[in-house]
Amino acid sequence: MPLHRKKPFSAKQKKMQLLAKRVSKRDQAAREDPEWDFRQRPNEEGAPGGPQTAHAQTAKPATDGRNKLTSQFDKLSRVEIEDNKKRSMQPLHRLSLEDGLTMSFDDAYSADVDIPVRPEWTYGESKSVVEGREAAYFNSWLERLRASDEEVSLYEKNLEVWRQLWRVVEISDILLLIVDVRHPVLHFPPSLYRYITETTGKPLVVVLNKTDLVAENTVQAWMHYFKQRFPAVVLTRFCCYRDEALVDDTAVASMKMRRQRPRRRTHDSRLVGDLFAACRSVCETDKLGLVGWEDLIARYTDKVEEEEDSDSGDESSDGEPDEPVAPNEDADEEAHHGERVSSKYVTLGLVGHPNVGKSTIINSIVRRTVVSTSRTPGHTKHFQTIHVTPTLRLCDCPGLVFPCVVGRPMQVLAGLYNIAQVQEPYTSVQYLAERVPVERVLALHPPADARDPENFVWSAWAICEAFAIDRGFYTSRGARPDVYRASLHILRWVLDGRILLSFKPPGFFRDFAYLKELANEETQASVRSSDSASESSDTESIQPIAQKSMFALLDEENC
């Protein structure tokens, strides 16, 4: 068969191709906004997108096809982007530990901001009637949020994504709310808690994930805070990496050590037994016999002991008690017909924000990759079910952003928004640098032309510029430091935990309540271990260091 020569593509044809693409984009923009004019400058009075605020923009309706389950958020105008860029060039205003690294529910959520709840429906109603009622209710909810006096930040505006949450809540027996322990208040919407526990009456287990990123006293403090605010909630912890535990997660030295080494993805099932034990404690009595909880927990515990004894790092070994079934491809069809809770299974539904580790927890339970994961928010587009045993299944819900009153920079740092699509990342870096000494963590140096390098006053823009020079990020044309690329790189490091932004409960740095409680728990644990096992010199040397590090948190003044 003769080979055909490649048809040449001249520069003129390439220019015509780019021109046609530009015209197509302009036509599409004109259809979406008839008043838009590409010839107007963004700073001119009356230019669409100039003085217009983000809250004035309306959400686009969900369309059929590949973008049906794509998250929709408001975008910043060009004037807002320029103003934020100028603000990032101002000197940083450092915050104290109590003011900058503590967060309460009152700081993140308001009583006037709720989530949409699925309207009542019956099996006898048709699909069009149910969907029409849901669309009307969702539009009224959007209008109510826009008319609210509270300044609501980024939140999900695609009805199809909210329907995924409704379906997962309906078919689940137990809901697992996955929260990132670095900022768990942000990932725990009280309106979602009321919807699950009061409206549906189903049990809720809160999973503090990524506990390997923070110190032990931070985990204990958050568990104590949640038990005080929500006494009926069941708490458990989880982590998927076998890293050395931090003694002090606010010390610059610990942050530098964490920054120097990237983390390798693993599927660690050490804490799966504790997770299943928490689910067993809230499981309904009539379904308690469907799953052999004792055998399930024992098998995971025995598997972990075998791995520790053999010190084997083989990720291909199965840690599940039974061979898991592939994700259920008919989950959409079942939920589409209004499937309620099944009497054949115990379903654990995993819900929460994007990037909190829902899919990673499932992979850790199964001990191999059965659900695709990514640090890009919204990677899971559709809920799917995975069978752990013939009578126990997991339901992975796509992450969606719940409405809250925290600022947009905090949402970006928490991984709720795709970092690659951030229009203006400098305010997020400024928010981070006001609370964490980023220039010290990254070992950055002041500019060469600084008059007084020792007393140089940093700004968010200066930090990004110095980091771009340090990493060799330069623009292709002018060979200037690529500040935008450097700022995105810093945000990705924050998301990965290589730059630690960890919030604490109110009063953590002001009083000793949490620290004393943790010290008592550690003392009791050491007494129990000494009674059951022989005393060792290692435990005697570690204990004073842990006690000293807890109180050293209160002496940190430069962080």
Side-chain angles (χ1 to χ4, degrees):
M1 183 175 181
L3 297 177
H4 297 282
R5 295 182 60 186
K6 187 176 180 180
K7 185 177 180 180
F9 197 74
S10 64
K12 182 177 180 181
Q13 290 176 315
K14 183 65 176 178
K15 184 176 180 180
M16 297 299 296
Q17 183 187 41
L18 295 177
L19 181 61
K21 185 183 296 185
R22 195 177 299 117
V23 171
S24 176
K25 289 184 177 180
R26 289 175 181 174
D27 294 340
Q28 182 180 359
R31 288 194 299 269
E32 295 176 355
D33 188 1
E35 298 181 359
W36 181 77
D37 187 0
F38 70 94
R39 292 169 296 185
Q40 284 185 321
R41 297 174 60 88
N43 295 330
E44 293 180 358
E45 290 293 333
Q52 177 178 325
T53 60
H55 294 282
Q57 299 175 2
T58 59
K60 300 177 183 179
T63 57
D64 295 334
R66 59 181 298 182
N67 296 326
K68 183 178 181 180
L69 292 175
T70 302
S71 298
Q72 299 176 359
F73 303 103
D74 290 329
K75 294 184 178 181
L76 294 174
S77 64
R78 295 186 180 180
V79 173
E80 291 174 327
I81 294 176
E82 292 298 328
D83 292 343
N84 293 340
K85 186 183 297 185
K86 295 178 181 178
R87 197 177 299 112
S88 66
M89 299 179 183
Q90 301 298 323
L92 291 173
H93 175 64
R94 303 288 186 178
L95 300 177
S96 63
L97 292 176
E98 182 65 29
D99 296 335
L101 289 181
T102 58
M103 181 181 293
S104 64
F105 285 101
D106 297 334
D107 300 331
Y109 292 96
S110 172
D112 299 333
V113 179
D114 59 352
I115 65 172
V117 179
R118 188 176 190 180
E120 294 292 336
W121 61 280
T122 59
Y123 285 102
E125 295 177 320
S126 62
K127 173 185 174 181
S128 59
V129 173
V130 174
E131 292 184 348
R133 186 187 302 116
E134 292 174 353
Y137 164 75
F138 187 74
N139 291 332
S140 64
W141 175 77
L142 288 177
E143 294 296 333
R144 187 170 67 253
L145 275 189
R146 294 192 186 100
S148 176
D149 297 333
E150 298 288 346
E151 186 175 353
V152 184
S153 191
L154 294 173
Y155 61 94
E156 183 59 62
K157 293 188 175 182
N158 190 345
L159 174 59
E160 293 297 330
V161 181
W162 285 102
R163 282 172 174 162
Q164 299 295 306
L165 174 66
W166 296 342
R167 292 167 182 170
V168 170
V169 172
E170 284 182 353
I171 68 175
S172 299
D173 297 280
I174 302 172
L175 275 304
L176 305 180
L177 178 56
I178 315 300
V179 300
D180 192 333
V181 74
R182 292 176 292 180
H183 17 70
V185 168
L186 178 62
H187 302 301
F188 188 91
S191 55
L192 178 64
Y193 169 78
R194 293 190 297 267
Y195 169 53
I196 295 175
T197 59
E198 298 177 7
T199 304
T200 64
K202 296 184 178 182
L204 176 67
V205 176
V206 178
V207 182
L208 299 178
N209 196 20
K210 305 181 183 181
T211 56
D212 55 313
L213 293 179
V214 300
E216 177 64 22
N217 55 353
T218 301
V219 180
Q220 294 292 340
W222 278 120
M223 296 184 73
H224 180 75
Y225 179 72
F226 272 87
K227 289 178 182 178
Q228 284 184 333
R229 292 295 301 264
F230 305 96
V233 75
V234 178
L235 293 168
T236 185
R237 61 171 66 189
F238 200 89
C239 64
C240 303
Y241 297 95
R242 296 191 178 185
D243 284 350
E244 297 179 359
L246 289 176
V247 179
D248 185 356
D249 55 10
T250 60
V252 178
S254 300
M255 295 183 183
K256 287 184 177 181
M257 293 177 60
R258 183 59 58 91
R259 173 186 63 86
Q260 292 174 356
R261 53 190 179 90
R263 294 150 50 79
R264 184 174 62 89
R265 186 182 300 275
T266 58
H267 301 315
D268 190 7
S269 58
R270 289 179 298 169
L271 299 177
V272 173
D274 297 338
L275 178 63
F276 284 153
C279 296
R280 179 192 56 185
S281 64
V282 298
C283 184
E284 296 180 357
T285 307
D286 55 345
K287 283 194 171 185
L288 199 58
L290 285 179
V291 181
W293 293 105
E294 298 295 339
D295 296 337
L296 187 63
I297 296 173
R299 288 173 182 175
Y300 273 100
T301 305
D302 295 340
K303 184 64 180 178
V304 172
E305 292 177 354
E306 292 176 3
E307 291 178 354
E308 292 178 352
D309 294 338
S310 61
D311 195 20
S312 173
D314 186 9
E315 297 183 6
S316 63
S317 61
D318 294 336
E320 69 278 11
D322 295 279
E323 183 67 21
V325 183
N328 187 3
E329 299 178 355
D330 298 331
D332 183 41
E333 182 179 357
E334 294 176 356
H336 187 70
H337 291 286
E339 179 191 5
R340 301 285 184 168
V341 176
S342 174
S343 59
K344 302 178 182 179
Y345 311 100
V346 174
T347 305
L348 308 181
L350 285 78
V351 299
H353 273 146
N355 264 330
V356 294
K358 297 183 295 297
S359 300
T360 306
I361 290 178
I362 293 179
N363 293 333
S364 298
I365 294 175
V366 183
R367 288 289 296 169
R368 61 188 178 90
T369 302
V370 294
V371 180
S372 177
T373 60
S374 174
R375 65 183 179 184
T376 302
H379 180 73
T380 303
K381 295 296 184 183
H382 197 284
F383 82 90
Q384 46 193 337
T385 57
I386 298 92
H387 287 255
V388 180
T389 67
T391 57
L392 178 64
R393 63 180 181 178
L394 308 174
C395 187
D396 185 18
C397 177
L400 70 161
V401 181
F402 302 96
C404 60
V405 295
V406 299
R408 186 187 294 244
M410 179 59 210
Q411 290 184 304
V412 174
L413 291 169
L416 306 187
Y417 192 80
N418 190 358
I419 293 179
Q421 298 178 358
V422 174
Q423 298 173 279
E424 181 272 310
Y426 313 110
T427 53
S428 299
V429 176
Q430 182 179 7
Y431 185 92
L432 172 68
E434 290 175 348
R435 291 157 176 81
V436 177
V438 182
E439 70 281 358
R440 294 171 57 190
V441 175
L442 300 178
L444 301 178
H445 302 284
D449 56 350
R451 297 181 178 179
D452 190 2
E454 296 182 357
N455 300 323
F456 180 74
V457 180
W458 289 92
S459 65
W461 185 273
I463 290 176
C464 297
E465 190 173 20
F467 186 65
I469 296 174
D470 182 70
R471 303 288 294 186
F473 297 157
Y474 293 95
T475 58
S476 57
R477 291 189 177 182
R480 294 186 296 268
D482 196 341
V483 182
Y484 181 77
R485 180 184 175 186
S487 59
L488 295 182
H489 206 80
I490 293 176
L491 297 183
R492 291 191 181 96
W493 277 19
V494 175
L495 183 61
D496 294 340
R498 299 177 68 177
I499 300 178
L500 183 59
L501 177 63
S502 173
F503 286 87
K504 308 296 187 293
F508 183 87
F509 300 101
R510 187 175 60 251
D511 53 52
F512 293 86
Y514 299 118
L515 303 180
K516 288 182 178 179
E517 181 181 358
L518 177 59
N520 294 333
E521 292 182 359
E522 290 183 349
T523 303
Q524 296 175 2
S526 62
V527 171
R528 289 193 299 267
S529 61
S530 62
D531 294 340
S532 60
S534 60
E535 298 181 357
S536 62
S537 59
D538 296 337
T539 57
E540 293 177 358
S541 61
I542 293 176
Q543 184 66 18
I545 296 176
Q547 295 289 340
K548 187 184 298 182
S549 65
M550 291 188 297
F551 296 99
L553 284 171
L554 302 175
D555 297 330
E556 287 288 334
E557 297 180 355
N558 298 325
C559 291

